[in-house]
PDB file of all heavy atoms in Angstrom:
ATOM      1  N   LEU B 258      -5.532  13.639 -25.446  1.00 88.00           N
ATOM      2  CA  LEU B 258      -4.360  13.025 -26.019  1.00 88.00           C
ATOM      3  C   LEU B 258      -4.520  13.107 -27.562  1.00 88.00           C
ATOM      4  O   LEU B 258      -5.673  13.036 -28.082  1.00 88.00           O
ATOM      5  CB  LEU B 258      -4.472  11.528 -25.662  1.00 88.00           C
ATOM      6  CG  LEU B 258      -3.626  11.032 -24.399  1.00 88.00           C
ATOM      7  CD1 LEU B 258      -3.737   9.599 -24.371  1.00 88.00           C
ATOM      8  CD2 LEU B 258      -2.184  11.468 -24.502  1.00 88.00           C
ATOM      9  N   PRO B 259      -3.362  13.147 -28.253  1.00 85.00           N
ATOM     10  CA  PRO B 259      -3.530  13.014 -29.689  1.00 85.00           C
ATOM     11  C   PRO B 259      -4.179  11.672 -30.128  1.00 85.00           C
ATOM     12  O   PRO B 259      -3.967  10.661 -29.574  1.00 85.00           O
ATOM     13  CB  PRO B 259      -2.055  12.943 -30.246  1.00 85.00           C
ATOM     14  CG  PRO B 259      -1.344  13.565 -29.081  1.00 85.00           C
ATOM     15  CD  PRO B 259      -2.066  13.217 -27.840  1.00 85.00           C
ATOM     16  N   SER B 260      -5.101  11.730 -31.077  1.00 82.00           N
ATOM     17  CA  SER B 260      -5.984  10.594 -31.338  1.00 82.00           C
ATOM     18  C   SER B 260      -5.289   9.509 -32.232  1.00 82.00           C
ATOM     19  O   SER B 260      -5.756   8.535 -32.356  1.00 82.00           O
ATOM     20  CB  SER B 260      -7.190  11.024 -31.999  1.00 82.00           C
ATOM     21  OG  SER B 260      -7.019  11.406 -33.243  1.00 82.00           O
ATOM     22  N   ASP B 262      -5.182   9.492 -35.304  1.00 81.00           N
ATOM     23  CA  ASP B 262      -6.059   9.170 -36.447  1.00 81.00           C
ATOM     24  C   ASP B 262      -5.391   9.732 -37.681  1.00 81.00           C
ATOM     25  O   ASP B 262      -5.062  11.010 -37.738  1.00 81.00           O
ATOM     26  CB  ASP B 262      -7.373   9.874 -36.219  1.00 81.00           C
ATOM     27  CG  ASP B 262      -8.371   9.561 -37.421  1.00 81.00           C
ATOM     28  OD1 ASP B 262      -7.950   8.879 -38.332  1.00 81.00           O
ATOM     29  OD2 ASP B 262      -9.440  10.120 -37.337  1.00 81.00           O
ATOM     30  N   ARG B 263      -4.959   8.899 -38.671  1.00 82.00           N
ATOM     31  CA  ARG B 263      -4.227   9.388 -39.820  1.00 82.00           C
ATOM     32  C   ARG B 263      -4.894  10.420 -40.692  1.00 82.00           C
ATOM     33  O   ARG B 263      -4.239  11.306 -41.190  1.00 82.00           O
ATOM     34  CB  ARG B 263      -3.693   8.284 -40.654  1.00 82.00           C
ATOM     35  CG  ARG B 263      -2.408   8.563 -41.375  1.00 82.00           C
ATOM     36  CD  ARG B 263      -1.876   7.317 -42.007  1.00 82.00           C
ATOM     37  NE  ARG B 263      -1.127   6.442 -41.015  1.00 82.00           N
ATOM     38  CZ  ARG B 263      -0.765   5.255 -41.283  1.00 82.00           C
ATOM     39  NH1 ARG B 263      -0.848   4.721 -42.510  1.00 82.00           N
ATOM     40  NH2 ARG B 263      -0.144   4.528 -40.349  1.00 82.00           N
ATOM     41  N   SER B 264      -6.152  10.235 -40.818  1.00 86.00           N
ATOM     42  CA  SER B 264      -6.857  11.223 -41.608  1.00 86.00           C
ATOM     43  C   SER B 264      -7.052  12.507 -41.031  1.00 86.00           C
ATOM     44  O   SER B 264      -7.280  13.474 -41.759  1.00 86.00           O
ATOM     45  CB  SER B 264      -8.294  10.632 -41.982  1.00 86.00           C
ATOM     46  OG  SER B 264      -9.010  10.399 -40.756  1.00 86.00           O
ATOM     47  N   ASN B 265      -6.966  12.691 -39.685  1.00 85.00           N
ATOM     48  CA  ASN B 265      -7.115  13.938 -39.044  1.00 85.00           C
ATOM     49  C   ASN B 265      -6.098  14.017 -37.980  1.00 85.00           C
ATOM     50  O   ASN B 265      -6.283  13.830 -36.745  1.00 85.00           O
ATOM     51  CB  ASN B 265      -8.538  13.947 -38.478  1.00 85.00           C
ATOM     52  CG  ASN B 265      -8.844  15.379 -37.821  1.00 85.00           C
ATOM     53  OD1 ASN B 265      -7.955  16.273 -38.045  1.00 85.00           O
ATOM     54  ND2 ASN B 265      -9.894  15.456 -37.183  1.00 85.00           N
ATOM     55  N   PRO B 266      -4.891  14.374 -38.332  1.00 82.00           N
ATOM     56  CA  PRO B 266      -3.725  14.337 -37.387  1.00 82.00           C
ATOM     57  C   PRO B 266      -3.751  15.323 -36.231  1.00 82.00           C
ATOM     58  O   PRO B 266      -3.192  15.017 -35.201  1.00 82.00           O
ATOM     59  CB  PRO B 266      -2.491  14.609 -38.284  1.00 82.00           C
ATOM     60  CG  PRO B 266      -2.963  15.192 -39.591  1.00 82.00           C
ATOM     61  CD  PRO B 266      -4.446  14.835 -39.733  1.00 82.00           C
ATOM     62  N   GLY B 267      -4.595  16.323 -36.391  1.00 84.00           N
ATOM     63  CA  GLY B 267      -4.658  17.288 -35.370  1.00 84.00           C
ATOM     64  C   GLY B 267      -5.690  16.860 -34.245  1.00 84.00           C
ATOM     65  O   GLY B 267      -5.812  17.582 -33.249  1.00 84.00           O
ATOM     66  N   ALA B 268      -6.405  15.858 -34.483  1.00 88.00           N
ATOM     67  CA  ALA B 268      -7.498  15.498 -33.612  1.00 88.00           C
ATOM     68  C   ALA B 268      -7.019  15.098 -32.276  1.00 88.00           C
ATOM     69  O   ALA B 268      -5.956  14.484 -32.103  1.00 88.00           O
ATOM     70  CB  ALA B 268      -8.301  14.427 -34.234  1.00 88.00           C
ATOM     71  N   LYS B 269      -7.781  15.273 -31.260  1.00 88.00           N
ATOM     72  CA  LYS B 269      -7.414  14.785 -29.910  1.00 88.00           C
ATOM     73  C   LYS B 269      -8.612  13.984 -29.331  1.00 88.00           C
ATOM     74  O   LYS B 269      -9.717  14.162 -29.736  1.00 88.00           O
ATOM     75  CB  LYS B 269      -7.222  16.060 -28.958  1.00 88.00           C
ATOM     76  CG  LYS B 269      -6.310  17.040 -29.533  1.00 88.00           C
ATOM     77  CD  LYS B 269      -5.214  17.277 -28.517  1.00 88.00           C
ATOM     78  CE  LYS B 269      -4.120  18.224 -29.078  1.00 88.00           C
ATOM     79  NZ  LYS B 269      -3.273  18.792 -28.090  1.00 88.00           N
ATOM     80  N   ARG B 270      -8.232  13.086 -28.430  1.00 88.00           N
ATOM     81  CA  ARG B 270      -9.356  12.407 -27.846  1.00 88.00           C
ATOM     82  C   ARG B 270      -9.190  12.471 -26.312  1.00 88.00           C
ATOM     83  O   ARG B 270      -8.148  12.715 -25.715  1.00 88.00           O
ATOM     84  CB  ARG B 270      -9.244  10.941 -28.218  1.00 88.00           C
ATOM     85  CG  ARG B 270      -8.078  10.210 -27.730  1.00 88.00           C
ATOM     86  CD  ARG B 270      -7.878   8.805 -28.323  1.00 88.00           C
ATOM     87  NE  ARG B 270      -6.544   8.404 -28.166  1.00 88.00           N
ATOM     88  CZ  ARG B 270      -6.218   7.416 -27.192  1.00 88.00           C
ATOM     89  NH1 ARG B 270      -7.144   6.953 -26.440  1.00 88.00           N
ATOM     90  NH2 ARG B 270      -4.982   7.130 -26.973  1.00 88.00           N
TER      91      ARG B 270
END
Side-chain angles (χ1 to χ4, degrees):
Chain B
L258 268 185
S260 72
D262 180 5
R263 203 170 286 171
S264 58
N265 185 5
K269 308 237 172 162
R270 66 191 166 101

